[in-house]
């Protein structure tokens, strides 16, 4: 049957209509940001039902329960009541496990959805960590998810670490404990379901008959194991429609596997790949910037994102002398148009803590999306609080036992125990005074410890929190002295804060965030603070992207291409204006990738790549079809087309037509216009010169 008659809806563009019309076989729809992917998915679902497919035969997989419910309600509002199943892949897999247990009469493992206590117990018993924090437990849980969803081998697990500890002993202890309890966690639901679908024909055939039509939203965030489940479910004649964008895959820590999209036609022979390339969200300059930037990635499909908007949008690079000075300027940018919807986005939740503190002091209302208190329970923050506590209480042996091995002085446990037993309360620093004279230490270590003793005494006498934090970062050999969390702590310290004031401030901030009173309690606040991950699927009038600096964004601990995708997701959340701070004291690799040479640091904001500027229009007007240009790499060519920010140029030397980004060519001079002359004639002249 020809299904194209079902997609005559005027609200679909040409690319959306083509994707929605194809209701046969397997298809992958690549959707750039703001391109209407959900609209297209639901239009295709409508076409399936109108073509006679029973509504009970369709399974729609979404990334979250909220997304499943929202999509279900939206489809019902638009197309009436139906019995299509909208669910997450975990919900589907749970049904598979229950079906297998029911049909075989075997006991289903008990659901253990809150594994926090078990993980804490393993960290204490196996890793020897007496005080694991919530951040340690979360990292442990994420590693378990990653191992199971990527189906890692024993050798691959041995290469992983959880904090300072090898991952394998911790993971093995977790698996043993779950097996002893006959329990399964969320990831086990996937593992068991995959096993039953793959090994048990009755289970596999049941679900193939039940759901011959499968549609998947946000496919770029699906793990290797989840892709395997979908492949088992839909191979041998199934109908699969996957919607995603490998350029927006940002959940690698949860085992997202965008490579499955890149290998789609290998896994699904005969499968078709469609594209949605029109961005209906952002202005022209913003779209051009994002499209140029993401082209630095190599593991991707070629896509040409173009704007639907006539307006240019605005991209501002704002010079900031020092990163620690940014909070006042962020408040000023917000005050430029306080009624405008503004999102302040960042790579990690840690960035939200000083933002929240300084905006609150500036009287600016805001809302937090997904802020938690993990920062305060992290190892670095706990270490800093212990060090500051010992500075002020130098006879506290419990504190010293917690910190001595975190300072790189290589003091033996025996030497510390001896100093604690013999501590001299007549002296100002009873433990360190004895330790610097210990017969168990050599001369060099004693001299090094004397410097430490002097520095800690100076911190105590000056009693200035900001100076003390700087000393921790530079003067006492703290093993995590380069941690980003130390910058966050310094950003919270006011110049006049005493150490006691600062520790009290940390406690109050933690209580404020945990109780939800850190938002200035304004549900309709125009300012939203959010991680980039938390902003996925959202859009705002204005976006301010902060802390895009080396070792934060991009993080040195993550795949560079995923870090680039995170930055790309951030800059495509805005409709009208994008503000990018350029810090004078920090390197911003992705800003350089965006713009090449950045605007001067005169202190004045610069609008960059203004496609509606007079200068740009005048230069762009010269790149008309038929005009001759010279490329540094490909020689002489002739312009075939000029649409939006893209040029197509034919090069007779090798007979190929290539696509260029016009604004980059204008900025960098990579395509130079030539005086009018036959391109073939010019090519013959060049060939003759080479001969």
């Amino acid at each position: 049957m020809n299904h194209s008659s079902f997609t005559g809806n005027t609200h679909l563009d040409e690319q959306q209509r083509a994707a929605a019309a194809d209701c046969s076989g397997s298809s992958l729809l690549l959707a750039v940001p703001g391109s209407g992917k959900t609209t297209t998915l639901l239009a295709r679902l409508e076409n399936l039902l109108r073509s006679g497919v029973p509504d009970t035969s369709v399974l729609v997989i979404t990334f979250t329960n909220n997304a499943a419910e929202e999509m279900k309600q939206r489809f019902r509002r638009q197309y009436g009541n139906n019995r299509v199943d909208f669910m997450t892949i975990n919900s589907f897999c749970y049904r598979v496990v229950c079906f297998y247990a029911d049909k075989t009469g075997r006991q289903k493992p008990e659901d253990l959805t809150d594994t926090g206590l078990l993980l804490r117990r393993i960290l204490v018993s196996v890793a020897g960590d007496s005080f694991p924090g919530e951040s340690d437990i979360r990292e442990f849980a994420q590693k378990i998810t990653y191992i199971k969803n990527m189906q890692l081998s024993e050798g691959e697990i041995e290469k992983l670490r959880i904090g300072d500890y090898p991952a394998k002993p911790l993971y093995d202890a977790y698996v043993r404990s779950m097996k002893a309890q006959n329990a399964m966690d969320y990831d086990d639901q996937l593992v068991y379901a995959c096993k039953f679908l793959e090994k048990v024909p009755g289970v596999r055939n049941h679900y193939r008959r039940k759901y011959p039509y499968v549609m998947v939203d946000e496919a770029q965030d699906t793990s290797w194991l989840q892709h395997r489940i979908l492949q088992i479910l839909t191979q041998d004649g199934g109908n699969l429609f996957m919607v995603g964008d490998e350029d927006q895959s940002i959940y690698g820590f949860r085992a997202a596997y965008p490579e499955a999209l890149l290998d789609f036609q290998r896994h699904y022979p005969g499968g078709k790949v469609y594209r949605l390339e029109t961005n209906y969200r952002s202005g022209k300059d913003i779209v051009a910037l994002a499209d140029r930037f993401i082209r630095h990635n190599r593991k991707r499909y070629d896509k040409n994102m173009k704007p639907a908007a006539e307006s240019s949008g605005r991209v501002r690079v704002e010079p900031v002398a020092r990163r620690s000075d940014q909070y006042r300027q962020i408040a000023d940018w917000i005050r430029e148009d306080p009624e405008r919807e503004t999102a302040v986005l960042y790579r990690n939740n840690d960035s939200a803590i000083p933002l929240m503190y300084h905006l609150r002091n500036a009287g600016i209302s805001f809302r937090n999306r997904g802020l938690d208190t993990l920062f305060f329970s992290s190892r670095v923050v706990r270490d800093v609080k212990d060090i500051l506590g010992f500075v002020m209480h130098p006879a506290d042996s419990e504190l010293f036992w917690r910190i001595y091995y975190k300072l790189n002085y290589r003091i033996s446990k025996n030497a510390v125990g001896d100093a604690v037993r013999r501590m001299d309360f007549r002296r100002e620093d009873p433990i360190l005074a004895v330790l610097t004279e210990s017969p168990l230490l050599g001369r060099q270590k004693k001299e090094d410890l004397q410097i430490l003793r002097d520095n800690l005494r100076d911190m105590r006498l000056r009693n200035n929190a900001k100076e003390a934090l700087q000393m921790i970062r530079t003067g006492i050999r703290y093993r995590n002295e380069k941690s980003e969390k130390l910058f966050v702590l310094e950003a919270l310290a006011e110049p006049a804060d005493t150490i006691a004031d600062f520790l009290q401030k940390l406690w109050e901030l933690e209580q404020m965030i945990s109780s939800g009173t850190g938002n200035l309690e304004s549900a309709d606040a125009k300012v939203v603070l959010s991680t980039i991950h938390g902003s996925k699927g959202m859009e705002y009038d204005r976006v301010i992207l902060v802390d895009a600096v080396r070792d934060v964004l991009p993080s040195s601990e993550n795949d560079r291409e995923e870090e680039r995708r995170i930055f790309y997701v951030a800059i495509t959340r805005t409709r009208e204006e994008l503000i990018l701070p350029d810090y004078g004291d920090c390197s911003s690799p992705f800003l350089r990738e965006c713009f090449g040479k950045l605007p001067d640091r005169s202190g004045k904001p610069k609008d960059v790549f203004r496609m509606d500027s007079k200068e740009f229009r005048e230069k762009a007007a010269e790149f008309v079809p038929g005009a001759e240009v010279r490329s540094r790499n490909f020689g002489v060519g002739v312009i075939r087309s000029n649409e939006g920010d893209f040029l197509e140029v034919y090069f007779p030397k090798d007979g190929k037509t290539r696509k260029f980004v016009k604004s980059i060519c204008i900025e960098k001079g990579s395509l130079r216009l030539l005086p009018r002359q036959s391109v073939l004639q010019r090519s013959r002249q060049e060939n003759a010169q080479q001969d």
Side-chain angles (χ1 to χ4, degrees):
M1 179 183 292
N2 182 358
H3 302 299
S4 61
S5 60
F6 301 136
T7 57
N9 303 349
T10 57
H11 69 282
L12 296 181
D13 65 29
E14 184 177 345
Q15 288 185 319
Q16 291 171 337
R17 192 175 300 113
D22 187 351
C23 293
S24 60
S26 297
S27 301
L28 170 63
L29 177 60
L30 300 169
V32 304
S35 60
K37 67 178 180 63
T38 303
T39 296
T40 307
L41 185 150
L42 295 181
R44 184 180 185 273
L45 177 55
E46 178 197 13
N47 292 341
L48 284 175
L49 301 188
R50 288 190 178 183
S51 69
V53 171
D55 53 5
T56 54
S57 298
V58 183
L59 172 64
V60 181
I61 297 289
T62 63
F63 191 54
T64 65
N65 286 316
N66 286 340
E69 186 60 27
E70 289 172 9
M71 194 177 293
K72 176 181 178 180
Q73 296 305 323
R74 177 173 170 180
F75 189 66
R76 284 184 173 178
R77 286 195 303 270
Q78 293 176 342
Y79 306 111
N81 288 332
N82 60 83
R83 293 173 294 173
V84 174
D85 278 333
F86 294 83
M87 66 182 75
T88 65
I89 193 148
N90 271 90
S91 297
F92 169 73
C93 288
Y94 188 77
R95 294 188 182 191
V96 172
V97 173
C98 292
F99 176 82
Y100 172 81
D102 182 60
K103 292 302 179 182
T104 61
R106 298 186 179 184
Q107 182 182 3
K108 179 183 74 66
E110 294 296 320
D111 303 319
L112 186 60
T113 54
D114 185 0
T115 60
L117 289 176
L118 173 59
L119 299 180
R120 184 185 298 276
R121 191 163 64 244
I122 291 172
L123 285 171
V124 171
S125 61
V126 178
D129 187 346
S130 302
F131 305 100
E134 292 302 318
S135 56
D136 302 314
I137 293 169
R138 175 176 287 191
E139 183 182 0
F140 192 179
Q142 287 177 348
K143 281 295 192 297
I144 292 170
T145 292
Y146 185 81
I147 290 168
K148 291 182 179 181
N149 276 266
M150 292 300 290
Q151 291 289 279
L152 297 186
S153 66
E154 295 284 310
E156 289 170 326
I157 298 172
E158 286 178 349
K159 296 177 183 178
L160 299 179
R161 298 190 71 82
I162 298 172
D164 296 329
Y165 314 115
K168 193 171 186 307
L170 298 172
Y171 178 73
D172 289 347
Y174 177 79
V175 171
R176 287 195 301 270
S177 180
M178 294 293 285
K179 184 177 289 188
Q181 299 177 64
N182 189 34
M184 67 175 179
D185 58 23
Y186 282 120
D187 300 305
D188 287 329
Q189 294 172 5
L190 306 177
V191 173
Y192 287 132
C194 185
K195 177 182 176 181
F196 299 152
L197 288 168
E198 195 166 33
K199 304 293 186 183
V200 185
V203 176
R204 180 171 63 251
N205 293 335
H206 169 78
Y207 282 100
R208 283 182 178 177
R209 288 192 300 269
K210 182 174 178 59
Y211 296 121
Y213 297 88
V214 179
M215 307 177 78
V216 183
D217 191 24
E218 303 289 3
Q220 75 279 349
D221 297 324
T222 305
S223 71
W224 183 93
L225 180 60
Q226 292 165 349
H227 277 290
R228 179 61 186 148
I229 291 167
L230 294 169
Q231 193 175 1
I232 296 169
L233 192 60
T234 59
Q235 65 189 14
D236 298 335
N239 185 297
L240 175 66
F241 185 70
M242 298 180 72
V243 181
D245 179 11
E246 80 286 356
D247 288 335
Q248 298 183 73
S249 180
I250 62 174
Y251 287 98
F253 63 92
R254 292 185 190 167
Y257 191 67
E259 289 85 353
L261 274 62
L262 299 174
D263 294 336
F264 179 80
Q265 290 178 307
R266 181 168 65 85
H267 292 307
Y268 301 93
K272 290 150 284 188
V273 177
Y274 293 94
R275 288 169 171 79
L276 301 184
E277 297 174 300
T278 301
N279 180 303
Y280 291 95
R281 174 184 299 154
S282 306
K284 290 188 291 187
D285 288 4
I286 298 163
V287 170
L289 171 70
D291 189 66
R292 280 192 299 272
F293 173 75
I294 199 59
R295 289 174 185 270
H296 286 88
N297 271 3
R298 296 180 180 274
K299 300 174 188 175
R300 63 185 299 270
Y301 286 94
D302 183 37
K303 297 185 283 292
N304 298 307
M305 183 166 60
K306 53 186 180 292
E310 290 298 320
S311 62
S312 66
R314 190 182 184 195
V315 180
R316 293 164 56 185
V317 175
E318 290 278 0
V320 178
R322 295 181 305 172
R323 186 174 162 216
S324 57
D325 297 335
Q326 68 179 322
Y327 305 103
R328 176 186 54 78
Q329 291 180 252
I330 291 169
D332 289 342
W333 298 331
I334 292 169
R335 290 192 187 104
E336 290 174 2
D337 191 352
E339 293 305 309
R340 194 176 190 186
E341 182 187 39
T342 300
V344 184
L345 303 183
Y346 33 81
R347 171 71 167 81
N348 301 313
N349 249 327
D350 292 354
S351 294
I353 309 296
L355 269 171
M356 184 186 75
Y357 174 73
H358 289 283
L359 291 181
R360 196 167 185 267
N361 287 348
I364 294 176
S365 300
F366 56 86
R367 290 174 284 135
N368 282 317
R369 285 182 58 84
L371 186 60
D372 55 45
T373 59
L374 291 180
F375 171 80
F376 300 96
S377 65
S378 67
R379 290 183 177 276
V380 171
V381 175
R382 284 184 290 152
D383 288 350
V384 169
K385 289 194 288 188
D386 285 345
I387 292 169
L388 293 178
F390 183 71
V391 165
M392 302 309 293
H393 304 283
D396 191 325
S397 59
E398 183 178 343
L399 285 174
F400 191 66
W401 275 115
R402 292 213 295 263
I403 67 172
Y404 84 92
Y405 60 93
K406 298 171 184 177
L407 309 179
N408 290 324
Y409 291 93
R410 299 184 179 277
I411 313 167
S412 70
K413 202 172 195 179
N414 287 339
V416 173
D418 178 67
V420 168
R421 284 190 299 273
R422 297 190 301 109
M423 72 169 79
D424 186 351
F425 289 100
R426 296 169 300 175
R427 303 172 81 168
E428 181 184 5
D429 42 6
I431 298 174
L432 282 177
V434 173
L435 193 59
T436 54
E437 300 166 357
S438 173
L440 300 176
L441 299 178
R443 181 176 59 83
Q444 186 59 55
K445 285 190 179 180
K446 290 179 182 179
E447 291 177 359
D448 292 342
L449 285 171
Q450 184 59 50
I451 295 173
L452 172 65
R453 182 185 176 194
D454 292 341
N455 286 336
L456 295 187
R457 182 192 296 119
D458 188 56
M459 291 163 65
R460 181 164 57 254
L461 294 174
R462 297 179 70 85
N463 196 15
N464 182 282
K466 205 169 192 71
E467 292 178 4
L469 291 166
Q470 291 167 354
M471 181 63 74
I472 291 172
R473 185 161 49 82
T474 61
I476 64 170
R477 299 189 187 180
Y478 174 50
R479 68 181 181 185
N480 291 315
E481 63 186 18
K482 295 184 179 180
S483 170
E484 169 67 8
K485 288 177 170 57
L486 287 177
F487 168 82
V488 173
L489 290 169
E490 285 188 49
L492 289 171
E494 300 289 355
D497 281 352
T498 66
I499 291 175
D501 291 338
F502 180 71
L503 293 175
Q504 178 67 20
K505 180 190 294 183
L506 289 183
W507 183 84
E508 291 174 355
L509 281 169
E510 182 176 8
Q511 299 307 306
M512 186 169 60
I513 293 170
S514 62
S515 63
T517 58
N519 299 347
L520 288 185
E521 291 304 321
S522 181
D524 58 349
K526 297 295 183 182
V527 177
V528 176
L529 309 183
S530 175
T531 62
I532 298 167
H533 291 82
S535 73
K536 189 86 180 294
M538 308 297 290
E539 57 184 61
Y540 305 93
D541 291 339
R542 174 173 55 182
V543 163
I544 304 171
L545 176 58
V546 301
D547 294 339
V549 298
R550 188 179 302 279
D551 295 330
V552 180
L553 180 62
S555 167
S556 58
E557 298 177 358
N558 197 20
D559 173 67
R560 186 62 165 237
E561 293 217 348
E562 176 159 317
E563 290 297 297
R564 199 173 279 118
R565 295 193 294 266
I566 294 170
F567 188 94
Y568 174 74
V569 166
I571 64 179
T572 54
R573 297 308 95 195
T574 184
R575 289 186 284 260
E576 300 169 0
E577 186 174 31
L578 174 65
I579 299 177
L580 300 168
D582 176 26
Y583 307 105
D585 60 344
C586 297
S587 173
S588 301
F590 286 164
L591 285 189
R592 269 77 189 162
E593 289 187 11
C594 281
F595 305 117
K597 183 179 179 181
L598 284 169
D600 66 61
R601 303 193 57 80
S602 63
K604 297 179 180 179
K606 298 284 184 176
D607 287 351
V608 292
F609 293 123
R610 290 285 294 173
M611 294 174 66
D612 60 348
S613 68
K614 181 180 179 182
E615 181 183 10
F616 182 90
R617 289 198 306 269
E618 289 175 352
K619 290 184 178 180
E622 299 174 6
F623 287 80
V624 295
E628 297 173 17
V629 294
R630 182 187 298 277
S631 164
R632 297 170 184 167
N633 298 320
F634 307 112
V636 176
V638 60
I639 297 175
R640 286 279 177 85
S641 69
N642 178 352
E643 296 183 5
D645 197 30
F646 298 99
L647 298 170
E648 286 190 353
V649 181
Y650 169 72
F651 294 93
K653 189 172 182 179
D654 61 7
K656 292 185 178 180
T657 298
R658 295 179 171 86
K659 185 168 284 189
F660 295 85
V661 180
K662 181 166 52 180
S663 50
I664 289 181
C665 295
I666 292 173
E667 182 205 13
K668 297 188 175 181
S670 52
L671 279 184
R672 185 164 57 86
L673 284 161
L674 299 176
R676 300 196 66 80
Q677 181 180 359
S678 166
V679 68
L680 292 176
Q681 183 180 5
R682 194 183 304 278
S683 180
R684 290 193 194 101
Q685 290 175 357
E686 289 189 348
N687 290 335
Q689 291 172 359
Q690 292 176 0
D691 294 340

